[in-house]
């Protein structure tokens, strides 16, 4: 089914855009909007934030937590579902922390996305439009994020970039 | 009257673009280009920089200094004026330093812009296309800047993003 | 001949895009794709990285190393050549380290590009879409990079920005 990628900076309105698209799609297809959340509730502050986001989305949404195993979450979608994966950069950060192979996990995830029954809208961050970070881990992270984003964009049917809440079509 | 937003990175040519648009508009309307400057002359270096910018704009421009009270400066525009607000991110930084309520000040500013008699061109920075800053204040700043930019873009009739001095239309 | 500028973040696919364009152009013109590399092999790691890049480009490419004297490398192109200058931000960094005059070196480089017999595709980084760096040298670098990028974009016949490997036309 259709794959879409929304890329943008922090607080550029990526999540709001993805959720609006998913709700419209799910309604059209008589399905459910599904949030595949990559955030992990590791502390009280994070737990509260996740609960607040869930409440804001409302009862129409189903939420899956997938800090690491995105492929499984995507593979489990029903044909009428429209899922938002929010977000790929946080997933990458979780994978790096867990010392998983980034190339291999991206392979598995894209393989699942290619065979997904429902629609998938990926949210990701552009993290490379600054001077080179002094921190070596930060440099590695932005290299890996760039590689991952390019691979997902290559497979996506539609790609948009966001500035100040305004989407701009990059592809097709 | 018309609201326009120009967003871009540091040294991307936002100010030059905004000033050229304001001069053209002011000429068409038989009015004056007005610089609403959010920079504050807190030290000698800043005073010199502000004076240099004023000299570069030339005598056709009227300059208002509004480090905090943008709403008042915008409300005072004449119908034939065309104003450049340069820039919103510096204004946000001044508000944070003065511990004002950012949401409330943005409300007041947008309210003034909605009722402005003249045209207003806002200049702002995209500050979120990098890895997450280590500094907590910097993280808060980029969150607030993103929120503010989205609110202004939502009200604006036209939005452009700049790369290397080249404008790209985002809206309409 | 034609000048083109490709701007983007780290790992956004700028080099791959530039190389694909150069290979296609060189084939059309019966010439050679030329890599004008601004990286310097100052240590073993860098030497290996440069050698790997050279091997990846393959034997069709001619490689010129020009960490500082871009003008001379560009002036030496043959009419049927299509060159990639990768990248301008690294060149700027080399010039700053060598304490050369950035404005003057950019003049010389653009003068050479204007009179170049072959085509030239410049690769550069957008480095200003983040919060203001704390480091003074980093701030100066991003100011200078912005100025240089604007000057090159002004002269270029075509300008593109890259996100996640997808090019977006900015000019014409």
């Amino acid at each position: 089914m259709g794959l879409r990628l929304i890329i943008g900076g922090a607080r550029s309105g990526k999540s709001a855009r993805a959720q609006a698209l998913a709700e419209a799609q799910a309604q059209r297809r008589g399905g459910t909007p599904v949030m595949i959340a990559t955030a992990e509730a590791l502390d009280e502050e994070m737990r509260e934030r996740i609960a607040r986001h869930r409440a804001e989305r409302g009862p129409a949404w189903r939420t899956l937590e997938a800090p690491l195993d995105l492929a499984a979450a995507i593979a489990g979608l029903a044909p009428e579902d429209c899922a938002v994966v929010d977000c790929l950069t946080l997933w990458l950060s979780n994978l790096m922390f867990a010392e998983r192979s980034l190339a291999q996990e991206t392979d598995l995830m894209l393989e699942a996305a290619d065979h997904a029954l429902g629609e998938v809208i990926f949210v990701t961050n552009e993290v490379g439009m600054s001077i080179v970070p002094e921190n070596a881990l930060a440099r590695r992270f932005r290299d890996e994020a760039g590689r991952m984003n390019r691979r997902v964009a290559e497979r996506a049917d539609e790609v948009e970039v966001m500035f100040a809440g305004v989407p701009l079509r990059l592809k097709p």
Side-chain angles (χ1 to χ4, degrees), chain A:
Chain A
M1 290 301 315
L3 297 187
R4 198 189 288 244
L5 177 66
I6 298 175
I7 189 168
R11 306 288 166 193
S12 63
K14 307 178 299 293
S15 298
R17 170 82 178 153
Q19 290 178 34
L21 288 170
E23 287 176 359
Q25 277 282 12
Q27 192 158 37
R28 219 171 4 247
R29 300 156 59 105
T32 304
V34 180
M35 175 56 63
I36 303 181
T38 56
E40 244 180 321
L42 294 172
D43 58 24
E44 191 52 35
E45 188 192 333
M46 206 59 194
R47 242 187 309 277
E48 280 172 20
R49 207 177 146 187
I50 290 173
R52 197 176 61 241
H53 284 171
R54 200 187 276 247
E56 282 166 6
R57 284 194 297 274
W61 284 76
R62 194 163 83 237
T63 300
L64 305 174
E65 287 179 19
L68 292 170
D69 294 322
L70 264 190
I74 290 169
L77 292 172
E80 69 278 13
D81 288 341
C82 187
V84 171
V85 175
D86 196 352
C87 66
L88 288 177
T89 26
L90 189 50
W91 176 64
L92 177 64
S93 168
N94 295 339
L95 291 176
M96 282 176 73
F97 191 73
E99 297 184 358
R100 301 257 193 121
S101 156
L102 305 174
Q104 202 176 315
E105 295 290 337
T106 307
D107 283 345
L108 288 172
M109 191 275 285
L110 286 173
E111 180 75 14
D114 270 345
H115 296 95
L117 297 174
E119 304 234 349
V120 185
I121 303 169
F122 293 101
V123 172
T124 198
N125 283 71
E126 167 61 62
V127 297
M129 291 190 154
S130 68
I131 54 153
V132 180
E134 287 177 37
N135 179 312
L137 187 61
R139 284 200 299 276
R140 192 184 151 215
F141 181 78
R142 75 171 198 165
D143 284 353
E144 294 292 355
R147 283 190 197 102
M148 175 188 69
N149 288 342
R150 287 165 64 180
R151 293 196 57 197
V152 178
E154 199 180 14
R155 297 274 195 109
D157 306 295
E158 294 181 22
V159 183
E160 288 179 347
V161 61
M162 304 286 298
F163 291 96
V166 186
L168 181 70
R169 180 68 66 97
L170 293 173
K171 177 184 167 184

